[in-house]
Amino acid sequence: LQQNKILRVIKKNLVKKCIEMFNDLSENEDAYKKFYEAFSKNLKLGVHEDSTNRVKIAKLLRYHSTKSGDEMTSLDDYVGRMSEKQPGIYYITGESKRSVESSPFLEKLKKRGYEVIYMVDPIDEYCVQQLKEYDGKKLISATKEGLELAEDEEEKNAFEEAKAKSEGLCKLMKEVLDDKVEKVVVSNRLADSPCCLVTGEYGWSANMERIMKAQALRDASQSAYMSSKKTMEINPVNSIISALREKADADQSDKTVKDLIWLLYDTSLLTSGFSLDEPATFASRIHRLVKLGLSIDDDDEAGFDEDMEDLPPLDDDMEGESAMESVD
């Protein structure tokens, strides 16, 4: 019955009429805000499923961005604010607005003055798979490979110089991390953070991986080939990477260097939106650092009784003894 010609015509006209009503409603900001809070997921599902009306529905979408403040912005408004040099519409997917706001992936983009859209609804991941471009502008993920930022000659030369300096460290990090990462490269997307983990352009993002892991009926075999290999990108001008490079050049077999590389990898997993494979191992590395900060040697933890003998006497005990002597 659903394939009946009359029903198809009714459906087409109903969809057309609804989109017209939504466009009329969008002219009243307060009324559209209430409507969008209730039906944003349905609109995004429409972008994913309805190829005929995809562009029309995309006009109705609203997102928070790096420049929108507390208000939400439309894709049309975003395109209107774009600079001529900007290659496309930048977006980042994540668990919440708060988590993506401080993401290391945005550092260089913010510095360049580029606006980035926050996509924090799980359905956004499916929506953006179908919405490849809008108004002739390509949608570019800030968390995936292939992020190219326009650079002048001076910046290019500085980047190439830093890249050449860090080749040895990149090779060592790949050897230590082995199959955890596909490759270790010098990054042009980081400004302050030491490193981050990016995914392949056509594979799952970190956020999509998190969503798929939460599926009750997920297919483990599909996860294996869709969760793309991670690429570790390091920031050559960061003080941590510079110090690590010097330490590695002095002695590549240093256990501390390997420990620090693993620690950087684990922290990158967290800041890039992934979950830790081995939380207990990460915790033990952090505990070792805490011990180092408190100048505690592992050899010092012989036993509770020995530690108690080394403790100085308490003031209260001393006062108690003097009080007893005075009574005697």
Side-chain angles (χ1 to χ4, degrees):
L1 189 65
Q2 286 177 335
Q3 302 306 317
N4 185 286
K5 190 178 179 183
I6 297 167
L7 283 179
R8 283 207 302 269
V9 172
I10 292 170
K11 178 190 171 186
K12 187 180 176 183
N13 286 329
L14 275 173
V15 170
K16 185 183 175 184
K17 194 72 181 168
C18 285
I19 291 172
E20 284 174 9
M21 286 171 64
F22 299 157
N23 282 320
D24 292 341
L25 190 63
S26 66
E27 290 173 13
N28 183 339
E29 279 189 28
D30 293 332
Y32 191 72
K33 194 175 181 181
K34 285 179 184 175
F35 165 80
Y36 194 77
E37 280 173 10
F39 298 106
S40 61
K41 284 183 172 63
N42 305 72
L43 290 173
K44 288 167 184 176
L45 189 62
V47 171
H48 179 67
E49 293 185 342
D50 189 350
S51 56
T52 311
N53 298 296
R54 188 166 288 148
V55 177
K56 290 177 184 174
I57 302 169
K59 280 182 182 291
L60 299 164
L61 298 179
R62 300 288 183 271
Y63 292 105
H64 287 289
S65 78
T66 49
K67 292 184 180 178
S68 69
D70 294 330
E71 296 301 313
M72 297 180 97
T73 185
S74 68
L75 293 173
D76 281 329
D77 290 342
Y78 179 101
V79 172
R81 288 192 293 267
M82 277 175 63
S83 64
E84 289 179 14
K85 291 180 181 178
Q86 191 171 327
I89 298 170
Y90 291 111
Y91 71 91
I92 182 170
T93 55
E95 195 170 356
S96 67
K97 182 173 176 252
R98 193 174 176 183
S99 67
V100 295
E101 276 175 336
S102 55
S103 171
F105 296 113
L106 304 184
E107 290 173 359
K108 191 61 79 72
L109 290 170
K110 280 181 179 175
K111 246 180 180 176
R112 294 279 173 94
Y114 294 150
E115 186 174 2
V116 185
I117 287 171
Y118 301 146
M119 295 190 176
V120 293
D121 196 339
I123 201 167
D124 284 326
E125 283 282 0
Y126 298 92
C127 176
V128 84
Q129 284 173 15
Q130 302 300 329
L131 192 69
K132 299 290 184 187
E133 62 171 51
Y134 181 82
D135 196 17
K137 310 288 184 186
K138 189 183 175 187
L139 266 76
I140 305 167
S141 173
T143 65
K144 291 188 174 184
E145 278 184 319
L147 183 73
E148 292 179 6
L149 298 170
E151 294 175 322
D152 57 34
E153 279 302 313
E154 195 178 323
E155 286 174 326
K156 274 182 186 174
N157 293 337
F159 179 73
E160 289 301 324
E161 196 179 316
K163 191 176 177 181
K165 271 186 188 176
S166 305
E167 268 180 14
L169 179 63
C170 289
K171 195 178 174 185
L172 176 65
M173 289 175 89
K174 171 59 185 159
E175 283 172 13
V176 172
L177 299 172
D178 197 25
D179 62 345
K180 292 287 184 184
V181 293
E182 190 177 20
K183 55 188 174 182
V184 180
V185 296
V186 174
S187 176
N188 66 342
R189 78 179 77 209
L190 296 171
D192 304 314
S193 300
C195 51
C196 67
L197 288 168
V198 300
T199 52
E201 197 174 342
Y202 302 105
W204 284 345
S205 65
N207 191 49
M208 189 63 174
E209 204 169 296
R210 179 186 62 80
I211 292 165
M212 293 308 290
K213 278 182 180 177
Q215 302 294 321
L217 300 172
R218 72 188 174 99
D219 181 3
S221 61
Q222 187 192 18
S223 302
Y225 68 82
M226 279 305 290
S227 51
S228 57
K229 285 275 188 182
K230 304 170 186 72
T231 298
M232 191 170 194
E233 293 193 356
I234 61 170
N235 181 3
V237 295
N238 181 273
S239 56
I240 294 172
I241 297 296
S242 299
L244 188 64
R245 186 171 59 223
E246 287 170 15
K247 208 168 175 62
D249 289 343
D251 183 9
Q252 289 204 352
S253 58
D254 189 348
K255 189 177 180 296
T256 312
V257 172
K258 289 179 181 177
D259 259 8
L260 290 169
I261 289 170
W262 276 110
L263 202 56
L264 283 171
Y265 170 75
D266 286 337
T267 51
S268 293
L269 276 176
L270 293 172
T271 56
S272 303
F274 293 96
S275 53
L276 289 171
D277 298 327
E278 299 168 15
T281 312
F282 175 66
S284 66
R285 287 194 186 105
I286 293 292
H287 295 156
R288 266 211 301 279
L289 277 180
V290 172
K291 284 178 187 173
L292 194 67
L294 295 171
S295 305
I296 300 171
D297 292 327
D298 288 340
D299 302 337
D300 291 346
E301 298 182 335
F304 180 75
D305 294 334
E306 289 176 31
D307 289 347
M308 288 299 288
E309 287 173 12
D310 296 332
L311 289 173
L314 295 171
D315 293 343
D316 291 347
D317 293 347
M318 296 295 289
E319 287 172 15
E321 285 173 21
S322 59
M324 288 299 288
E325 284 169 11
S326 63
V327 169
D328 292 342

